[in-house]
């Protein structure tokens, strides 16, 4: 699963430059090994934040219970009945109330649509089950993961734009740990072959090195991708 997700990002970046990830040495093993530490930390942070949100929801549930207890203790019985009848009449006129209740119960650890009936003594305020908490935690974690994946995709898009234009690109990191090893590094190249066979792109002041693999060196000259035999060049990264 990790390889599948990361490979989509790599394919997105390098396809914009007209090459494959394997052209710069990014096979299955390299993709996973270079990213595993950063991904583990990112997922761990998502888990911690999700648990924190559920914990805060528990505090909110406790506050809701306190509100119910204080209000029902203070309001006389006959007034609770009158307000309850008024609330039921008004709520029955709300269009789509069944959908509102289902949505509220599905996303809230302490559903707000159940708070008013509990305050007025019309029903008990339910304590969420373990399944409810698990579903909420999974939902929050899923939202966090979706945000992280979407943000990563946008970063890759911007990196591909920069690489296409001949600008430098550094690996995508999380808290200083590499997650995606995409790059386009400024370099100087010494051509070791015959001067007459030197590709014109290697003379570009915008020359960037994308990587080497399988006996080939891959460069970007600001307009196009240049692939030459690695044995014919000496690369110095700036």
């Amino acid at each position: 699963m990790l390889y599948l997700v990361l490979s989509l990002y790599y394919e997105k970046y390098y396809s914009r430059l007209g090459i494959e990830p394997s052209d710069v040495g990014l096979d299955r093993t390299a993709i996973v090994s270079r990213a595993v530490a950063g991904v583990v930390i990112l997922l761990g942070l998502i888990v911690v934040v999700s648990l924190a949100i559920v914990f805060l929801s528990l505090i909110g549930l406790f506050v809701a219970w306190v509100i119910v207890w204080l209000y029902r203790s203070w309001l006389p019985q006959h007034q609770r009945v009158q307000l309850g009848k008024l609330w039921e009449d008004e709520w029955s006129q709300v269009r789509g109330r069944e959908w509102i209740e289902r949505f509220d119960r599905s996303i809230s650890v302490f559903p707000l649509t159940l708070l008013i009936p509990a305050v007025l003594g019309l029903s008990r305020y339910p304590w969420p089950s373990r399944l409810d908490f698990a579903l909420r935690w999974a939902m929050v974690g899923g939202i966090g993961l979706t945000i992280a994946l979407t943000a990563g995709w946008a970063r890759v898009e911007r990196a591909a734009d920069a690489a296409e234009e001949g600008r430098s690109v550094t690996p995508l990191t999380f808290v200083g740990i590499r997650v995606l090893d995409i790059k386009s590094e400024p370099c100087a190249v010494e051509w070791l072959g015959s001067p007459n066979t030197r590709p014109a792109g290697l003379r570009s002041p915008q020359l960037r090195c994308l990587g080497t693999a399988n006996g080939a060196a891959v460069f970007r000259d600001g307009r196009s991708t240049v692939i030459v035999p690695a044995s014919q060049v000496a690369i110095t990264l700036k």
Side-chain angles (χ1 to χ4, degrees):
M1 183 62 182
L2 175 60
Y3 168 74
L4 177 62
V5 173
L6 293 176
S7 64
L8 291 176
Y9 289 113
Y10 281 114
E11 287 287 346
K12 178 64 176 178
Y13 177 76
Y14 286 107
S15 65
R16 293 274 300 274
L17 306 178
I19 59 176
E20 298 289 333
S22 58
D23 293 332
V24 293
L26 291 169
D27 57 13
R28 181 188 296 266
T29 302
I31 288 175
V32 174
S33 62
R34 297 182 191 186
V36 64
V39 171
V40 168
I41 292 176
L42 176 60
L43 293 178
L45 179 63
I46 291 174
V47 170
V48 170
V49 172
S50 301
L51 291 176
I53 292 175
V54 172
F55 176 73
L56 292 176
S57 298
L58 280 174
I59 295 177
L61 178 60
F62 174 75
V63 172
W65 271 92
V66 171
I67 292 174
V68 169
W69 182 79
L70 290 176
Y71 195 77
R72 293 186 64 178
S73 299
W74 170 77
L75 196 65
Q77 174 66 26
H78 70 280
Q79 292 186 15
R80 291 205 303 268
V81 172
Q82 292 174 352
L83 287 176
K85 184 66 169 66
L86 176 63
W87 182 86
E88 284 185 318
D89 291 342
E90 293 294 332
W91 183 241
S92 65
Q93 303 301 317
V94 175
R95 180 176 299 177
R97 61 186 182 280
E98 294 85 0
W99 182 89
I100 295 174
E101 288 183 342
R102 288 198 299 270
F103 180 76
D104 190 18
R105 295 186 191 200
S106 66
I107 68 170
S108 304
V109 172
F110 51 103
L112 298 179
T113 54
L114 300 180
L115 180 59
I116 295 178
V119 168
L120 298 175
L122 303 176
S123 65
R124 295 185 60 189
Y125 198 82
W127 182 268
S129 65
R130 292 181 180 178
L131 178 60
D132 291 331
F133 282 121
L135 291 176
R136 269 69 166 181
W137 178 83
M139 180 192 69
V140 173
I143 292 174
L145 184 59
T146 300
I147 293 174
L149 293 176
T150 303
W153 189 263
R155 287 282 302 276
V156 171
E157 285 273 12
R158 291 196 297 271
D161 290 339
E164 276 189 319
E165 297 168 2
R167 291 183 280 128
S168 299
V169 174
T170 56
L172 181 64
T173 61
F174 179 74
V175 294
I177 299 177
R178 184 175 301 182
V179 177
L180 283 175
D181 197 21
I182 54 176
K183 54 190 176 182
S184 179
E185 302 174 289
C187 64
V189 174
E190 180 183 355
W191 181 252
L192 303 179
S194 171
N196 296 330
T197 61
R198 177 172 180 166
L202 296 185
R203 298 186 177 90
S204 171
Q206 292 182 306
L207 191 64
R208 301 290 186 269
C209 180
L210 301 179
T212 59
N214 307 317
V218 187
F219 302 93
R220 186 77 183 179
D221 68 358
R223 298 168 311 209
S224 60
T225 300
V226 181
I227 302 177
V228 299
S231 61
Q232 298 294 302
V233 292
I235 305 170
T236 303
L237 298 178
K238 298 180 180 179

